[in-house]
Amino acid sequence: MLRVLAVDDEKPALGELLYLLRSDCRVRSADGATDATEALRRISRALDAGPDGEGGIDVVFLDIHMAGLTGLDMARLLSEFTRPPLIVFVTAHEGFAVQAFDLKAVDYVLKPVRRERLAEAVRRVCDLAAAARAPRPPAAAGSGPAGGAGSRGGAGGAGSRGGAGGAGATPGATAAPRPGPGAGPLVTGSTAPGTAPEQIPVELGGVTRLVPIDEITYVEAQGDYARLHTRGGSHLVRIPLSTLEDRWASRGFVRIHRSRLVALGCIDELRLDGGSTAVRVGTAELAVSRRHARQLRDLLMRHAQR
């Protein structure tokens, strides 16, 4: 069961949050602090006492706008701790979600807090806490982060994501070489146990949903926004395409057009037709600009040969 510290400088909001947390059967204890300085003192004492000591803290439910240190400031300080507690932001402001998840927040809950939304945040914390406590199974001999069936950007075996080299490949199209085992950061592996999954928050009908980055196949610029495409749909976020290009380069996203990024491991086919180049990602055919065509072909070939 979870030991929770809630931090908010508005006492009515703090009282309501504590009431909801204490009514959740997965929460062993829930204490409150009205500023970041007090909260940091409590967390330091809890860490000194050890993980099973009195006053231990598993997770901090943290407001952002507070007098003195903000919630984001406090999260940055906690990231320097050896064993920091998990963090869930609880705020009335949507505009800090990207910064919050850059700081490895587990969730981002908008005020006014709804009981069912808070319960979902508690579930995510419980899942991560359980994964951190679970012993890791020994790695199978010869296995790697991108080697198994179903891995993203696998070698085209049964169950691999978008195996263009097998039955059903379009006649006349070139199957895109896939990054294989050892391809490095261009292959997105699963999240290690005990760490927060890499996600991006999207808003839909006033509800914040977390979309795992490794489910995103390509991204299109739409003015000041970017549309994130997954196998199951799309989501609009107010983030410039250039910002996502910088942040996600290490996760295998490459620019193929001035208005488009694509996840290298999700390319099913590379099509060359006269002087034009295109890629197929699922059912979408995406044009590749001449400026980016050679770089894309080089990347596909280089990582296929590793």
Side-chain angles (χ1 to χ4, degrees):
M1 296 178 68
L2 296 177
R3 298 163 297 178
V4 178
L5 177 64
V7 188
D8 196 319
D9 63 350
E10 296 182 0
K11 290 186 177 180
L14 178 61
E16 175 67 13
L17 179 58
L18 287 172
Y19 170 79
L20 292 174
L21 287 167
R22 288 166 181 164
S23 65
D24 193 307
C25 63
R26 296 163 295 184
V27 174
R28 181 199 303 179
S29 63
D31 297 315
T34 54
D35 62 70
T37 302
E38 178 190 354
L40 287 168
R41 289 197 194 100
R42 292 196 186 189
I43 293 169
S44 295
R45 287 197 298 267
L47 292 177
D48 289 342
D52 298 320
E54 185 178 353
I57 298 170
D58 301 306
V59 58
V60 179
F61 282 73
L62 182 59
D63 188 23
I64 287 182
H65 278 296
M66 296 187 292
L69 287 175
T70 69
L72 294 173
D73 293 332
M74 180 174 164
R76 291 187 188 98
L77 289 172
L78 288 175
S79 69
E80 303 297 324
F81 284 37
T82 304
R83 301 184 309 277
L86 299 172
I87 294 175
V88 173
F89 283 102
V90 183
T91 177
H93 303 276
E94 300 179 6
F96 298 98
V98 172
Q99 292 172 260
F101 286 101
D102 282 345
L103 291 167
K104 306 301 182 186
V106 176
D107 208 343
Y108 192 90
V109 179
L110 290 175
K111 297 178 180 177
V113 179
R114 295 179 294 111
R115 183 185 295 271
E116 59 271 21
R117 181 65 183 87
L118 188 65
E120 172 63 15
V122 171
R123 182 194 66 77
R124 290 173 177 164
V125 172
C126 288
D127 288 347
L128 281 176
R133 290 191 296 267
R136 295 188 181 187
S143 66
S151 65
R152 182 171 181 171
S160 66
R161 187 169 182 173
T170 304
T174 303
R178 298 303 188 80
L186 286 172
V187 178
T188 301
S190 59
T191 304
T195 62
E198 303 244 11
Q199 301 163 319
I200 184 168
V202 299
E203 294 294 324
L204 183 62
V207 177
T208 302
R209 181 189 169 198
L210 304 179
V211 177
I213 294 172
D214 63 3
E215 290 185 5
I216 298 168
T217 57
Y218 67 98
V219 186
E220 290 183 297
Q222 294 187 354
D224 293 333
Y225 292 77
R227 183 165 293 280
L228 314 177
H229 292 266
T230 67
R231 299 291 185 186
S234 67
H235 311 276
L236 197 63
V237 295
R238 192 169 185 174
I239 307 174
L241 192 70
S242 58
T243 300
L244 295 177
E245 180 181 18
D246 292 340
R247 290 180 179 172
W248 293 356
S250 63
R251 298 184 66 86
F253 284 82
V254 296
R255 190 181 284 265
I256 62 170
H257 189 275
R258 67 179 181 179
S259 63
R260 196 171 292 123
L261 301 176
V262 66
L264 196 66
C266 291
I267 295 175
D268 297 317
E269 292 176 351
L270 176 67
R271 298 183 176 185
L272 307 176
D273 184 10
S276 65
T277 305
V279 294
R280 183 172 67 81
V281 178
T283 59
E285 184 169 329
L286 310 175
V288 180
S289 69
R290 292 187 179 183
R291 177 183 175 187
H292 297 96
R294 182 169 182 174
Q295 179 192 20
L296 177 63
R297 290 196 299 268
D298 289 347
L299 281 170
L300 287 169
M301 294 303 298
R302 187 182 311 139
H303 288 278
Q305 292 169 1
R306 288 189 177 184

